[in-house]
Amino acid sequence: MKVAKEWRLGSMGDTKILPGSRHRSPLKRPIWIILMVSFVSLFLVCAYIYPPNSDVACYVFSSRGCKVLTDWLPPPKRELTDEEIISRVVVRDILDTPPVESKNPKIAFMFLTPGSFPFEKLWDMFFRGNEGRFSVYIHASKEKPVHVSPYFLNREIHSSPVTWGAFSMVDAERRLLAYALKDPDNQHFVLLSDSCIPLHNFDYVYNYLMHANMSFIDCFVDPGPHGNGRYSTRMLLEVEEKDFRKGAQWFTMRRQHALLVMADSLYYSRFRDYCRPFADGKNCIADEHYLPTFFNLVDPGGIANWSVTRVDWSERKWHPKSYRAQDVTEIAFSLNLWNGHMKLEVVFNGNFGQYSFSC
C-alpha cells in the first residue's frame, strides 16, 4: 500500500532544486575582422570611382598591373551624349506606338539593280493574281531597266550610283525604304536584288511575313578579320566592339523597324564616317554591319537574327555562289511554270525549307 509523502516547507531533501541561470561571458566580437572588411570594401569602392592612373599604384595590388582590376570590376557607367539621349527617346516612342492597322496590308518588294531584270518573267508569275497585296519599288543605279512585266513598269524611284562595298549601298536601301513608307498600306518591306527569285508562291510568302511579329534581319558575332576585325575604335563611344555585329544585306522588316531606320542619324553617321572599304587599314563593308549592329543596339528582341533570303557563301568568295544550269531540274521547272505555282524549293538541288527567297 502506497503511503503519500508529506511535503514540508523548508525540507531540502524533498525539494527539487532547479539549476541556476548560466552566466555567459561577454561575446568577444572580432573587431579586427570587421575593421579589415570595412577597410577593404571602402578601398574597392574608391578604386572603382577613382581608378589608379599610374603603374606604380596598380602594381601595389598585382604584378599584372591595372589590367587585373579592370578584368573583374564592372565597367563604370558613362554619361550619355546628347545624340544618344535623342536617339533613345525617338526609338522608345516609335516602338511604344501601336502600329496603324491597315484595311489592305501590303508587302513592299524593293529591288536593288544596276539595270534590267533577268528574272522579271518569273516575278511576273509570282505577282500575278495578287494585285492590291504588294507594291514594287526599283532602285536602278546604272541604267533605266527595260521591262516585260506590267508590275514593274514605272516603278523606278530616284536613284543614285551605287558602288559595291561602299556606303552608297546603305543610302540606296534607305532611299527605297523612304519611298515605300509613303504608302501607309505597306506593312512589311523586303529588300531584294535583280538576281533574287522567290522560293514559294505568293500566298505562302505573304502569310509568313504578315503573321510574323518580328523582322528577319541577319545578325551575328563574327570574331574573325571579316567581322569584328573591321571594327574601328573611332565609332566610340556610341558603338562599342562588343555590340558590333555582322549579317547578310538582304532583309525583311516590319513598318515600325523601317521607321526606326529612317529616324536614325546617330548610328548612321558613325558607319558612314568610319565603316568604309580600306578606311584605317580595314575593309569595312557598311551594308553587312550597319543594320545588324543598329538593331542589336536598339531592339535586339525584335529581330529573328537570320534572314529569309538564302545566300550561299560556301565558296568563300567576295560574292555568293551563282546557280548554273546543272543546278536546275528542267522537268520540275517546266511543271511549276505550267501550273503557275512558284514552289521553287524543288527546282534547285538543296534544302530551302526556312527561306522565302534566294539570291
Side-chain angles (χ1 to χ4, degrees):
M1 181 175 178
K2 292 184 178 179
V3 180
K5 292 184 179 180
E6 183 179 356
W7 291 80
R8 295 180 183 177
L9 186 62
S11 174
M12 297 298 294
D14 297 325
T15 303
K16 292 185 178 181
I17 301 176
L18 297 176
S21 60
R22 297 180 180 178
H23 297 283
R24 296 184 179 180
S25 59
L27 180 63
K28 296 181 180 180
R29 297 179 180 178
I31 302 299
W32 67 273
I33 295 180
I34 297 176
L35 290 175
M36 181 63 71
V37 171
S38 301
F39 175 76
V40 172
S41 301
L42 179 62
F43 172 78
L44 290 177
V45 171
C46 292
Y48 175 67
I49 300 175
Y50 306 103
N53 296 321
S54 66
D55 293 338
V56 175
C58 293
Y59 277 94
V60 170
F61 311 103
S62 172
S63 59
R64 290 177 1 192
C66 288
K67 183 172 177 55
V68 70
L69 294 176
T70 58
D71 284 345
W72 60 273
L73 283 176
K77 292 184 178 180
R78 64 175 179 85
E79 184 177 356
L80 298 179
T81 64
D82 291 343
E83 289 179 297
E84 286 178 297
I85 295 174
I86 295 171
S87 176
R88 294 192 180 194
V89 170
V90 172
V91 168
R92 182 196 63 197
D93 284 356
I94 292 177
L95 292 178
D96 289 347
T97 301
V100 178
E101 295 292 336
S102 172
K103 294 182 180 179
N104 183 36
K106 297 188 293 185
I107 296 178
F109 291 86
M110 308 178 302
F111 291 91
L112 283 170
T113 178
S116 298
F117 289 77
F119 298 114
E120 189 167 319
K121 291 184 179 180
L122 204 57
W123 283 104
D124 181 87
M125 294 188 59
F126 175 76
F127 290 133
R128 192 178 305 167
N130 296 284
E131 293 77 3
R133 303 171 71 192
F134 66 92
S135 303
V136 173
Y137 301 88
I138 302 170
H139 186 288
S141 59
K142 290 185 178 180
E143 58 185 25
K144 184 177 176 61
V146 177
H147 297 297
V148 296
S149 168
Y151 303 119
F152 288 80
L153 285 175
N154 301 319
R155 299 309 301 167
E156 291 85 5
I157 68 170
H158 171 71
S159 305
S160 297
V162 174
T163 302
W164 179 85
F167 198 79
S168 56
M169 187 72 74
V170 174
D171 286 332
E173 295 173 4
R174 286 166 57 99
R175 194 175 296 116
L176 280 166
L177 282 174
Y179 275 83
L181 281 168
K182 293 168 66 176
D183 186 345
D185 288 333
N186 287 334
Q187 298 297 306
H188 215 95
F189 303 79
V190 181
L191 181 69
L192 300 160
S193 77
D194 57 313
S195 61
C196 295
I197 61 170
L199 295 177
H200 298 275
N201 60 43
F202 186 90
D203 284 336
Y204 181 96
V205 174
Y206 184 89
N207 293 328
Y208 187 86
L209 295 181
M210 284 300 187
H211 291 96
N213 192 28
M214 64 177 62
S215 295
F216 294 93
I217 298 172
D218 200 20
C219 180
F220 59 92
V221 177
D222 182 357
H226 301 299
N228 278 29
R230 297 172 174 175
Y231 172 77
S232 173
T233 55
R234 293 190 180 189
M235 294 185 182
L236 293 171
L237 298 167
E238 292 78 6
V239 181
E240 300 180 30
E241 185 175 358
K242 66 180 180 63
D243 299 316
F244 196 68
R245 295 293 186 272
K246 184 179 179 179
Q249 175 185 10
W250 314 115
F251 63 76
T252 70
M253 65 173 63
R254 299 185 298 123
R255 187 176 183 89
Q256 278 183 314
H257 283 163
L259 290 171
L260 282 181
V261 175
M262 290 292 94
D264 175 50
S265 61
L266 172 62
Y267 302 103
Y268 169 86
S269 63
R270 296 300 179 271
F271 279 86
R272 178 197 62 202
D273 296 340
Y274 306 120
C275 183
R276 303 189 304 271
F278 309 111
D280 299 327
K282 300 177 181 181
N283 194 28
C284 189
I285 311 298
D287 60 81
E288 294 181 358
H289 296 284
Y290 167 57
L291 288 181
T293 303
F294 174 66
F295 281 103
N296 176 60
L297 287 166
V298 302
D299 191 22
I303 62 174
N305 293 325
W306 53 276
S307 173
V308 294
T309 302
R310 185 182 188 275
V311 181
D312 188 350
W313 294 99
S314 61
E315 295 179 343
R316 298 186 178 276
K317 297 180 180 179
W318 286 110
H319 295 280
K321 177 182 177 180
S322 297
Y323 292 102
R324 308 296 180 184
Q326 60 268 23
D327 299 312
V328 181
T329 304
E330 185 177 354
I331 296 177
F333 185 74
S334 300
L335 288 174
N336 275 281
L337 291 182
W338 178 262
N339 293 329
H341 296 296
M342 294 304 305
K343 291 188 177 179
L344 298 184
E345 69 272 16
V346 300
V347 173
F348 293 101
N349 297 324
N351 180 18
F352 301 93
Q354 66 179 8
Y355 300 103
S356 297
F357 312 98
S358 179
C359 293

